[in-house]
Amino acid sequence: MKLSKHGYFYLIWMAIFIAIPLFMVAYLAFTSGDSQSISLANFSLENFKRFFTPMYLEVLKKSIQLAFISTIICFLLGYPVAYIISKAKLKNRNILILLFVIPMWMNFLLRTYAWLTLLGKNGIINLLITKLGFQPLDLLYNDTAVLLGMVYNFLPFMVLPIFSVLTKMDNSLIEASWDLGANKLKTFLKVIFPLSLPGVLSGVTMVFIPAVSTFVISSLLGGNKTYLIGNLIEQQFRYTGDWHFGSAMSIILMVFILISMALTSKFDKDKEGDVSGLW
Amino acid sequence: MAKVHTIDLINLSKKFGEDLVLDNMNLYIRQNEFLTLLGPSGCGKTTTLRIIGGFENPTEGKVVFEGNDITGLPPYLRQINTVFQRYALFPHLNVFENIAFGLKIKKKSNEEIKKKVTQMLELVNLAGFEKRNIESLSGGQQQRIAIARALVNEPKVLLLDEPLGALDLKLRKEMQIELKKMQQSVGITFIYVTHDQEEALTMSDTVVVMDKGKIQQIGTPIDIYNEPQNRFVAQFIGESNILDGIMEKDFKVWFLSKEFICVDKGFDKDEKVDVVIRPEDVEIVEEDKAQLMGIVKNVLFKGVHYEMEVQTNDYTWKIHSTIMKDAGSYVGLRIVPDNIHVMRKEK
């Protein structure tokens, strides 16, 4: 294999920032012992065995469930938005997409904290409800709040790739469909939607992966009620100090994401599930 | 009562913002006619086609299809199909699915769809291509699939928007002949848009020459070539020598400081005119028979004829001749009255 000068640089970069850390995670996952003395660790499948018990599997199931639902909501909200923006006049289109992107320039934590003040017991929404003479609601620290946080934070990642595919679509294909007798609805179902699938796939990937592994959203908006696999991993590294078990869970999550991505890309005939054109 | 035309365009105008793209156009198209809209880019020919197809609405005027006003009717309700400039085949469907698209929309039975698609593939010489991916086809093959996809719906009118523009010269010539054959065998009206005058002359029953949103001339290819109605048509169709002249009286025209006999009449006395003479209509003759004398500036061999430039006192003539003359030789030129075309100057 021949590589240019930049090629070697990239290879070194990959080794330092991808291969070595990944290898370390794998090494930790398949060993047991004291995290502080890595060199003395022994090969062991103990960490994996420990994970496949009902308590931990329940956490994984819940993580996948919430990530799955939030991905679907993002798709249902995001597709029409992307479609409407892509049909707008060029001048308005840029403004609309900018409006969508601007919140992403703000700090992620800050945006999530903002929901605390909105949803809290004495938050703005409950303030309005009590003003109207109703009992305050428990809006915070439940699955719905976590879902809301996920959808809010990850929606742009669904909208942008779909928007990108829709704007690049050759308009003569749509005209050809009309020409052959398909009305607007049939044209959407038979031409526009199938051709936008690569964008949908990118969007699904870009929402599902961060949603399934998040720990910030769940700990801020879910409190201790919604405990996700991300929280579990964080706990092992930050509090419990069991790097072996944490690494094993990371590997399991990674394998799981790989499987679900492989399944999703099966739906895409052309395997164009990249995010090209956007970044 | 006269027979109903397949399509009538009545006082059609189209504005894009402030741009007047079509200026009060009137045209009728008969059944089974191969009609070509010919003109340089920006002349309004594609806009006309898109209005007939229903992809654009005219700013003013009407489109009438077999006696019924169809202005404003969306494309999917018109019995018209289109072959698009870049084919516009659906990349997510294979060849069979592309051709079957229109039939499936119309909810035809599977057997009927299969039968018709197979027939169409035979018509366009691509039998056995059903399962092929669109991207695996060459430009010429995609072209044929696009034609098959349109024709399978048995439209009354087929619109073709520069369908051969992306093909190389040899393939283009083959497809010209094939398209003409197809049109004759399926017996439907073809409306063809091109900027290639040779293509227009080869295939059409009727040629409509357009410029600046207006029809310049309508006629058979022979009429258009032999009797151009104005300077633009003469210049656009084939090559021409165009000279400034003065019409002294009927059958007498004065140009290059000489009097010539012609076959035109009905002009004002001493009216300023354009005189058009085709390069192949200038004969090279001996000095004693010549009307003009000139020096050959250069000669190109073109296979059937020689293409030369001959300099006379005030004008450089384009001449096509089968007689070979070396550059620099002194030659006589003659033009018979029948080949001198006199036309009014445009205002």
Side-chain angles (χ1 to χ4, degrees), chain A residues 195-213:
Chain A
L195 285 175
S196 69
L197 276 180
V200 173
L201 197 73
S202 302
V204 165
T205 311
M206 291 174 65
V207 171
F208 184 77
I209 293 178
V212 82
S213 53

Side-chain angles (χ1 to χ4, degrees), chain A residues 46-247:
Chain A
E46 206 48 48
N47 304 311
F48 292 94
K49 256 191 225 156
R50 188 175 152 202
F51 184 79
F52 287 101
T53 50
M55 186 178 79
Y56 294 120
L57 284 177
E58 194 56 39
V59 175
L60 181 65
K61 198 184 123 200
K62 183 154 203 181
S63 305
I64 289 162
Q65 230 172 27
L66 284 183
F68 186 73
I69 296 169
S70 68
T71 305
I72 286 176
I73 296 173
C74 279
F75 167 73
L76 292 177
L77 289 175
Y79 200 102
V81 168
Y83 186 82
I84 291 164
I85 297 177
S86 77
K87 291 277 168 247
K89 285 196 188 106
L90 192 67
K91 205 175 74 189
N92 301 342
R93 199 194 286 172
N94 292 336
I95 295 169
L96 287 170
I97 211 73
L98 196 68
L99 283 176
F100 237 81
V101 176
I102 282 175
M104 288 167 72
W105 297 349
M106 251 174 282
N107 184 283
F108 167 78
L109 269 178
L110 204 68
R111 274 181 290 141
T112 311
Y113 269 116
W115 281 104
L116 283 175
T117 51
L118 283 173
L119 301 175
K121 261 244 147 39
N122 303 310
I124 292 165
I125 293 170
N126 268 330
L127 213 67
L128 281 172
I129 290 173
T130 44
K131 274 263 162 66
L132 292 170
F134 297 100
Q135 285 297 309
L137 300 171
D138 277 330
L139 297 170
L140 209 52
Y141 308 126
N142 54 35
D143 291 356
T144 318
V146 175
L147 267 179
L148 186 74
M150 285 179 176
V151 170
Y152 168 71
N153 276 307
F154 304 135
L155 187 61
F157 297 107
M158 182 66 85
V159 173
L160 288 176
I162 296 174
F163 167 76
S164 164
V165 170
L166 287 176
T167 42
K168 277 189 289 181
M169 194 173 293
D170 183 357
N171 198 48
S172 68
L173 292 175
I174 295 163
E175 289 186 349
S177 171
W178 293 344
D179 187 73
L180 294 166
N183 60 26
K184 303 217 160 153
L185 179 67
K186 278 188 180 150
T187 296
F188 177 78
L189 294 175
K190 286 181 173 265
V191 177
I192 299 173
F193 186 69
L195 285 175
S196 69
L197 276 180
V200 173
L201 197 73
S202 302
V204 165
T205 311
M206 291 174 65
V207 171
F208 184 77
I209 293 178
V212 82
S213 53
T214 184
F215 61 90
V216 176
I217 296 171
S218 48
S219 57
L220 285 180
L221 301 177
N224 50 11
K225 292 253 184 64
T226 308
Y227 205 68
L228 301 183
I229 185 138
N231 302 92
L232 207 55
I233 295 169
E234 187 209 8
Q235 191 193 37
Q236 302 310 313
F237 283 92
R238 283 185 62 185
Y239 308 110
T240 321
D242 191 347
W243 289 21
H244 298 281
F245 186 44
S247 299

Side-chain angles (χ1 to χ4, degrees), chain B residues 310-341:
Chain B
V310 175
Q311 178 73 52
T312 59
N313 41 0
D314 279 330
Y315 188 75
T316 308
W317 292 83
K318 278 177 268 182
I319 298 175
H320 296 171
S321 171
T322 49
I323 300 164
M324 163 69 184
K325 290 283 179 191
D326 287 319
S329 49
Y330 196 56
V331 294
L333 304 180
R334 190 179 65 172
I335 307 134
V336 299
D338 215 20
N339 288 331
I340 297 174
H341 306 291

Side-chain angles (χ1 to χ4, degrees), chain A residues 170-184 186-187 190-191 194-195 269-270, chain B residues 50 55 75-76 80-82 84 88-92 98 101-102 104-107 149-150 153:
Chain A
D170 183 357
N171 198 48
S172 68
L173 292 175
I174 295 163
E175 289 186 349
S177 171
W178 293 344
D179 187 73
L180 294 166
N183 60 26
K184 303 217 160 153
K186 278 188 180 150
T187 296
K190 286 181 173 265
V191 177
L195 285 175
K269 258 206 310 213
D270 309 321
Chain B
R50 288 176 61 79
F55 304 112
Y76 46 86
I80 297 173
N81 284 113
T82 308
F84 291 85
L89 296 172
F90 302 121
H92 61 300
N98 261 282
F101 192 91
K104 277 190 186 152
I105 296 287
K106 289 182 198 92
K107 301 234 158 53
R149 183 179 69 174
N153 302 291

